[in-house]
Amino acid sequence: MYLNLVQIAESFGVAEKVVEDWMRAEGLPHTLDRGRPLFDRAQVADWAAARGLAGQAGFLTPETKAPFATGIRLEPLLRAGGIWRDVPAADITGVFEKVVAALPGVTPSVRQLLGQRLRAKGGVTLAPVGGGFALPHPSTRIALGREAGTLALLLLREPLPQVEPPDDVPVTRLFFFIAPSPRAHLDLLGRLSRALTRGPLRELVLQGAGDNEIFLAAAVSGEGPAKAEAEK
């Protein structure tokens, strides 16, 4: 579950300025979506527990059901988008366009429209999440249908110069995604952020593992929330 700046401030009973200071100086986990910070509830709870902080409102209480879980699996999306290695930072937009050109479950006209949106100024939100990773995605919400969607891993030749990471680790690894719906967008954003904080997917990408190993890790990383939701 993602929370916004106001909700985090209310949870701890502090001013929004204090939360912003925590982001800058204390490493409060967050990601940027269209320039606005979003906070994964589980990551914030872990961060707070490590510092002896306690939430004072209901936003940080344990969840019994993930509100944005959609059952989408990471592995098929990653196989559709592919793993792109040794990509020059200047070529990432071209790779995004190639990923869109192969987007399953949509018509050629929709692919063309998406390509135009990606090329437009501000068409992609880069969303750095720390550890050298970022989660670029279309800045505007889209609804493509359940069978559509893609996820691509770009391993860059050099860091992205225009991205300011939250932890001073240069961004060299991108998971570019297009979700089939706004609800699925939030689900994917949260699950990828958690998978890149810890776990096998993060470690294998950092190690430069082979495609099959990364696909398998994506299957393992993506199964937990999806499987739990499907069984309810």
Side-chain angles (χ1 to χ4, degrees):
M1 177 181 180
Y2 266 92
L3 305 174
N4 60 33
L5 181 64
V6 173
Q7 290 170 321
I8 291 293
E10 291 178 357
S11 295
F12 290 107
V14 300
E16 294 174 27
K17 178 63 167 57
V18 173
V19 177
E20 293 171 345
D21 289 342
W22 286 346
M23 292 163 54
R24 286 191 295 268
E26 299 291 336
L28 176 62
H30 66 282
T31 186
L32 293 177
D33 186 29
R34 293 185 291 179
R36 297 174 299 179
L38 291 177
F39 306 83
D40 181 88
R41 187 201 63 81
Q43 291 180 350
V44 171
D46 289 344
W47 176 89
R51 290 160 176 79
L53 297 174
Q56 299 181 14
F59 297 116
L60 294 178
T61 57
E63 296 175 297
T64 57
K65 184 175 180 180
F68 295 113
T70 58
I72 290 178
R73 296 168 55 215
L74 299 184
E75 181 199 6
L77 292 180
L78 185 56
R79 288 187 180 275
I83 298 174
W84 304 72
R85 299 178 183 272
D86 197 31
V87 177
D91 292 351
I92 63 169
T93 300
V95 174
F96 293 166
E97 291 176 352
K98 291 177 182 177
V99 172
V100 168
L103 180 66
V106 298
T107 64
S109 60
V110 170
R111 294 191 189 100
Q112 182 179 13
L113 177 61
L114 285 173
Q116 292 173 351
R117 288 186 179 182
L118 293 180
R119 288 189 296 271
K121 184 177 180 180
V124 175
T125 297
L126 288 171
V129 294
F133 290 93
L135 301 176
H137 52 268
S139 298
T140 56
R141 297 291 184 265
I142 51 180
L144 300 175
R146 187 170 180 80
E147 301 304 317
T150 192
L151 172 65
L153 170 59
L154 284 69
L155 305 176
L156 305 185
R157 186 179 300 172
E158 65 273 332
L160 278 181
Q162 70 269 38
V163 177
E164 183 177 347
D167 55 2
D168 295 326
V169 178
V171 173
T172 56
R173 300 166 182 88
L174 309 178
F175 275 96
F176 169 64
F177 71 93
I178 299 177
S181 69
R183 183 183 180 90
H185 176 97
L186 290 174
D187 184 16
L188 277 175
L189 190 62
R191 286 162 59 190
L192 285 169
S193 295
R194 289 189 291 273
L196 297 178
T197 300
R198 64 177 72 89
L201 181 60
R202 168 191 168 86
E203 296 307 317
L204 287 171
V205 172
L206 289 175
Q207 295 166 15
D211 289 7
N212 288 335
E213 290 180 282
I214 293 175
F215 288 141
L216 179 60
V220 173
S221 297
E223 185 171 314
K227 185 176 181 180
E229 179 69 13
E231 290 175 349
K232 292 180 180 179

